[in-house]
Amino acid sequence: MLKNCGMGFGAMAFSALLQDKSFAGLDSSGKDRHSALNPLMPRKPHFPARAKSVIFLYMDGGVSHVDSFDPKPMLDKFHGQDPRKLMDVQPTQFNSIGKILKSHWEFKNYGKSGLPVSDLFPHVGACADDICVIRSMTSKFSEHTNANYFLHTGNGLQGRPSMGAWAGYGLGSENQDLPGFVVVNGGLVPPGGLDNFNSGYLPAAYQGSVFRASNPPVSNVLRSDPSEAHQRAKLNFMRKLDAENLKRAGEHDALESAISNHELAYRMQLEVPELMDLSGEPEYLKEAYGFNHSWNGTKTFARSCMTARRLVERGVRFIELTCPGGSGDRWDQHGKLRDGHTKNARSVDQPIGTLLKDLKQRGLLEETLVVWTGEFGRTPFAQGGDGRDHHPWGFSLWMAGGGVRGGTTYGATDEFGYHVVENKLEIHDLHATMLHLLGLDHERSTFRYGGRDMRLTDVHGHVIKDILV
Amino acid sequence: MFVKNANAFVGFAVSLLAAFSTFGKEAFPASDLVFFESKVRPLLAERCYKCHSHKAKKLKGDLYLDSRKGALHGGETGPAVKPGDLSGSLLIEAIRYRDPDLQMPPKTKLSASEIETLERWVSMGAPWPDEPEPTGGKVEKEFDLAGRKASHWSWKPVVEPTLPQVKDGTWGKLPIDRFILSRLEKSGLTPAGPADRRTLIRRATFDLRGMPPTPEEVNAFAEDDAENAFEKVVDRLLDSSEFGEKWARHWMDLFRYAESRGHEFDANIANAYRYRDYLIRALNADVPYDQFVTEHMAGDLLEKPRLHPETGANESILATGFWFLGEWIHSPVDTRQDEADRFDNMIGVFSKSFLGLTVACARCHDHKFDAISTKDFYAIQGYLQSSGYRQVRYETMDHNGRIARELDQLERSSELGKKLGASLGIGSTDLAKYILAAGRILRGDVDSEKDVLVKSDPDPAGPIVFADFEDGTYGKWLSTGTAFGKGPVTLETKAEYQKDVRPHGKFFVNSHNVRLSGKTPSSGLADDQLGSLTSPRFRIERDFITFLVGGGAYKKETCVNLLVDGKVVLSATGRSNNTMTETSWDVRRWRGSEARVQVVDKRKGGWGNIGLDHIVFTNEKMAGTTKLVANVGFDDASVAFVAKTEKLNRNKLLAWSKAFAQAKSNRADPLAPLASVFANEKPDWNPLRSANANLESRRSKFLESFGKLELAVDYGNLAHGLFMQDGVTFGQRAKLPGDLLLDGEGGLAGIARWGMARRESVWRGLRIVDSAKDAGSLGFTRAGITLRSPTFTNANGDAHYLVRGKGKAVAVVDSHRLIQGPLHGNMAIDVGRPGELTWVTQDLDRRGQTYLGHRLHVEFTPTDANDFEVLMIDLSNDSGARGEVLNFLKNPPNALVQGVDGFGEAPSREQLATLVSNNLKSVAGKLGNPFGNKPADLEQAYLADWLVRNKGLMGLDGAKNVGDEFLSGYKELVSRIKRDSRTAMAMLDGSPDDEYVFLRGNHRSLGDAVPRRFLEALGGLERPAPKAGSGRLELAHQITDSKRNPFVSRVLVNRLWHHLFGRGIVPSTDDFGVLGQRPTHPDLLDHLAGRLVENKWSVKAMIKEIIISRTYQMSSEAKGPGESKDPSNALWHRANLRRLQSESIRDALLFVSGRLDNKMYGKSVPTYLTAFMEGRGKPGKGPLDGNGRRSVYISVRRNFLSPFMLAFDTPSPFNAVGRRTNSNVPSQALILMNDPFVVGQATLWGKKIITQFSDVRERISFLYESAFSRPPSEFEMDASRAFIVEQAKLHGVAEDHELPWKDLAHAIINTKEFIFLN
């Protein structure tokens, strides 16, 4: 599936067929906002952007909201009771509905804002005044794969462009030597596979490049020739032959840009290893991220988070991080909730906390939108003895930086954390807001395909104005 | 079954549209109105009117809440308010926020007191002052289908255009050229000169074969002076088998071809590649395109399908596999939604591919731009709703289908039933005498003498059956130990794993007494039983003793012995094989002696058993077992005596005598009451009196119970056209009570006692070879042996199947079939037990996964070789009624002794015998005609079945004498059955099922049903689908009717043009609608469409016509004034420069390197997986070079697509792609520079060059000619030589070494000319 890997590197890319009308659908003014010559050339947003880049922290499997960012004292009160007696209970994915289950974790109030965060996330809690917790998110799907596609592409089925691809399509890239949409794979490829990061019907230049947090991060980026000199000689020779061919064939843009493409690929062979080389980073910072942590997951995610910051520094538009494995079946704790959530949180909490601080300290947080979310939440009642089932009808996520008001919460679930009762949101609203912060009007960000002007938000979505600075 | 209407067509049940109650001006108490004004109206205004009032910017859900009328009338989902009815008011339901799909206001729940206010208001009766209706609001424009059709070019019929005048009459001879030239001349342009021959043949070869020409082919063409030199090349290329391999890929793009389902686990699509192979063959065979389309739509329904010329396999049906190449989801929470999404994709693919129309855009609302209504979408969806999926036995289906029809015809023309009835009727004369005589024998009222038999034996030298155990007992044999149990066994009671024992008749001796152990056979206890069985003493009067023996091969331990004077004189064992074989002892030296036969089992453990049957005394060695049945054994001395004295037929009397003996111990036997009367000197009348004591009440109770069932399907009373199956094994129609049942050899197996779909025994043992099975719970052998019920609605939550025999039932709910994972596991269940009629319940309301109200059908598949019958599907909750029905069918009132009441208290034996004889005669007389469905008919069918199974009673014998002529014809047909077949995906017609309009695309909110039909704008209303079947074939005929439908021909010729020129005349190849692009040369498009139909839809003829035009042969050089006047080359002033498709790039690499393996067809080669390809459902890793096979044969797994292919724009398989993107991304360069596959091919190519040629110039020339179809220029030659020298130096090797040559080959691969077509 690795159209994603080693491909989708943007830059200087050109396509004769991109001149085709379908590519020009972005601006309702009718102006062609795209340079046909370079799909990743930076483009002006619809309105001034709050964020230049997005870091999307994807919590694969679904974090329990009532154990993390949405405290529910009623669960303590009714712990062990039959939920059917207290509420109308809808069928869940596995539908073995047990008793009300209180949280294993204490909530503390953090920062000036006093934002409540559970003991799972002390490092994130320490950044409470920078984050905005949304407690009224919903999804349409209670099954991982559909929910993942929905979260990533705004549609529950395979084949649509990922949000990172839309960002690249709308804005181009600030760095012409790196892809505009990078997924740093911590180890867990989400259910639904790499198609969560695909460009769908958008041009291939916008697809997510999946990097491993290793060097090399992608295939074919290491030169096959034994030395620099060998390769240079080959390229020089090729250039001669190509020039000769151009003379014969006439002035075909396609040929010329294919030639420059080779030059770019050559530069990329240098740029990408440099990006992934963390040896120059200061030791104290590595320590803070968790490079030396005793837990392997933390080490892995620490590298991912630091790489994310380096990608932001290099102007990469959209960066998604997937979780490291080894902590149970992702965040998907149908059983062993205490153990699984503890381990998963141990892997990501410290690296994320440090990432927020690191970004802030460098002044990057203001122009970087950080989003933390799973594909859905988990039920307030137990599945089995110590598990929670999938729950799409009300869950929490948080955002930080990039124009989001920190130290706040938005929306609410009912007293059990079961259904949203205030400011219900759907994934389309999240997408609309993300695009908005990047300076894009989601209703004007369209691509003509299959007889329709397609949008990331389909025909839905509202910007969540209340959480913006 | 029987008398009740199947409710298979009950519509999708629940609709929220309740009756619309009329309301006039109602007067409300002033206090209520005050409450409304002070509490309710402000609340509605604040929280609802933004979306639900006449002032709303955009009215949502068609619902107005700013008038009482609006609230009561409601919106899309029905009335919002029912005055006084809280639970019936959707408004209240919505604000209570209980149903996640119905929550209002959408963002934030009302406060508890606000909810209470509205509840109170509704309870009051929804008071509202009498006020004028508000006005304003946006009124949507009516959908103007006719107007849209009239105003857009593509709906207009294809009209042959007049040829335009051109100034330069010499440029091109074909009309194509005239159309192109005239536009160029009008724009002041001149066409480019012709491409040179080497460029031209490279272009044509890549276009038609997908690979470069060989240097020899290039040179031959370059030197061919003939006028038709190019035409010859084109003909050769069109005839090559590689043509299909290149062009198949274009349709694979359209039909989102893949071999896995994507989604979470990327489940396998079984045998998908057979569709790919179909495409290649169809294109190579130049199947006319209208036929090609028809095969895709309805290849399974063609009266005369296209058969493979060599194998006879059905080609046409393979085309229907394309419908099922899409993404499938396991465990969808909402199966109806899942189905809607699948159908949407199928309709999208179909309509874009064949019609160039985006019909799927009309799923939620009438098409925003084109003349396609939402009704059109659901009218098409009905065809899918009426069609299903299967793995089809495509290789043998036509052959076996013919045999099935001939078998049926033979059976019917032979009038077996009538003949049988007549024979039985003849046998019924004198019957009373036999009954009386047998009665005598039964009660021992015979003065027989010990040696009477010998005296009475009519043939002193004839064979004697000594023992056959057919009365089901050991008779006078003596059994010791446990091994031999209480009596002989039958094929039904023996251990199943003993398999093919092959006894004679029904009963046989077997020391493998599993019943006694009570343990599972695998415990080995059955073999551990020990014992012996010894015959009564007899005199040896013949030369040989012949018998069947099987089981263990242990001498003295598992054996049959002959004892003379108490000593073993002869012994035989089995052969460690349960199949019994005939053995003969020569006993001449003991003639006249008294002897016994003894069966011994002294062995424990494996093969510690012995089997014995059919002991015959003869004067010939190996007399053959079958012809001996007519003889009588020693045990039947009384029979022989009575037969002789009463002048009765001995065999017939023996049959009666045995039947009475069996009936004595079996109360269910119809003869049992009679036996009780006849068996004893003093008759027991009770069984006879009680036999039919409650006849009428039993009958009426049955009818009443049957009436309580809610039958979704009743094979006893099935509407025409609803007997559906995959294959032929369930015969040509359902069996009705009284129908003849045949066994696998054409013998009589019995009479149908009830209406049913029955797997015909002759079709047992069908095998599937060289084919994958479906993923998930459907992964068992079901192709060609599966019964498909009509579609019905799950009315009450569970379905109950009345079946006999062992099999599987798969409930296909909302056509969901990827049954895998947590949610729908109980959709595939085991049903039944061998030989037993039983109800089986399938839980369709489980674990909250309720399918209540969903549409489904059930697929039944037998899983062993025993009888398999399906009678009915009941949806009622009445298990009592089901029990009654079952009881009656299993054990109906006894028709044999009906009428006995007429004789008073104690009829004479003579009266009884006459009654029984008449009853039997009457039932025999009914055979050959249907019995009917009334209870009395079922009773008679039961008796007829008993009679046929005991036809010896009527003097008929042997299993196979239903008609000798029939039997020879039957055997001949059966010998031609093909039992092995490969399988492939295909459609299977279901019951006709129209679809409802989903309001706003929401399947929970249904509008009116739309009859199945083609698009209204193309005359669909005039030709609705036929009543029976899906109607896809008729749809296909409409689609390919070029007079009424201009799209199919236009869209195809445009695709051909697109593939040959790099851009279509309509550039948006898949969208001829308003949002698509306009044709650059509309007249040319229509001319080509007309030519296609004229040429009988030949794709190859069309391609040839285009390719031999001057237009195709122009040079691509971009140098003239055309570049400024026509910069995008919209007018075709020259040929387009095109990048090769990914497949051609890879194939060209293999071709030049010499690695290409030109093997065609078959299983795909697994994709090579890089270290970066991760995810669930990861397949096995494939070879780096794909074993040298062409790219079309490399596996396409949705979640693990080849990075190489994707980089060069092979589309991800999700929807129809007629026009690939043509991207230029650095990953392409990185692959060509660094990918180990590319480097590997460069290495091979370099080696090949230095082995084949020794001269440096020759080597370089050959490289160029292979890659570019031209020799190098002097500049290139010099540069290449210099490069070799330089690289050799860098590597530190000789110039003759393979390394610099690999580098040269690699560099040439990386030059743009390698991947571009001039």
Side-chain angles (χ1 to χ4, degrees), chain B residues 1229-1251:
Chain B
L1230 286 170
I1231 283 176
L1232 291 177
M1233 292 199 299
N1234 299 330
D1235 191 273
F1237 165 69
V1238 178
V1239 175
Q1241 296 311 305
T1243 309
L1244 281 179
W1245 194 15
K1247 274 190 199 160
K1248 183 173 135 185
I1249 293 293
I1250 54 173
T1251 353

Side-chain angles (χ1 to χ4, degrees), chain B residues 11 139 464 500 564 928 1262:
Chain B
V139 181
I464 301 163
D500 189 12
V564 176
F1262 189 77

Side-chain angles (χ1 to χ4, degrees), chain A residues 1 6-7 14-15 88 90 93 95 145 158 217 224 234 248 261-262 269 330 421 423-424 451, chain B residues 98 103 107-109 264 823 847 1075 1119 1172 1176 1199 1201 1222 1224 1226-1227 1233-1234 1270 1306 1310:
Chain A
M1 159 101 275
M7 284 166 253
F14 158 87
S15 159
D88 288 324
Q90 269 84 31
Q93 181 76 14
N95 218 37
T145 308
Q158 213 158 353
S224 64
K234 209 182 262 177
R248 231 187 339 260
N261 206 11
H262 259 86
Q269 292 178 149
R330 322 191 308 284
V421 293
N423 294 324
K424 183 167 147 189
Chain B
R98 285 178 185 163
Q103 295 183 343
K107 297 286 172 191
T108 299
K109 193 180 175 183
E264 185 168 353
L823 284 195
R847 298 172 63 193
L1075 283 191
K1119 284 178 176 165
F1172 299 87
R1176 296 183 169 198
N1199 289 3
L1201 297 169
N1222 215 337
N1224 180 39
S1227 58
M1233 292 199 299
N1234 299 330
R1270 63 169 177 85
H1306 193 204
N1310 270 277

Side-chain angles (χ1 to χ4, degrees), chain B residues 272-310:
Chain B
Y273 64 91
R274 299 222 151 99
Y275 174 75
R276 174 248 284 149
D277 290 351
Y278 157 86
L279 274 179
I280 294 171
R281 285 193 301 269
L283 288 162
N284 279 340
D286 198 23
V287 171
Y289 188 68
D290 57 342
Q291 163 95 7
F292 180 87
V293 174
T294 303
E295 289 182 355
H296 280 79
M297 300 300 299
D300 55 321
L301 302 175
L302 295 177
E303 203 157 295
K304 285 198 177 148
R306 215 157 45 79
L307 301 186
H308 190 284
E310 284 148 33

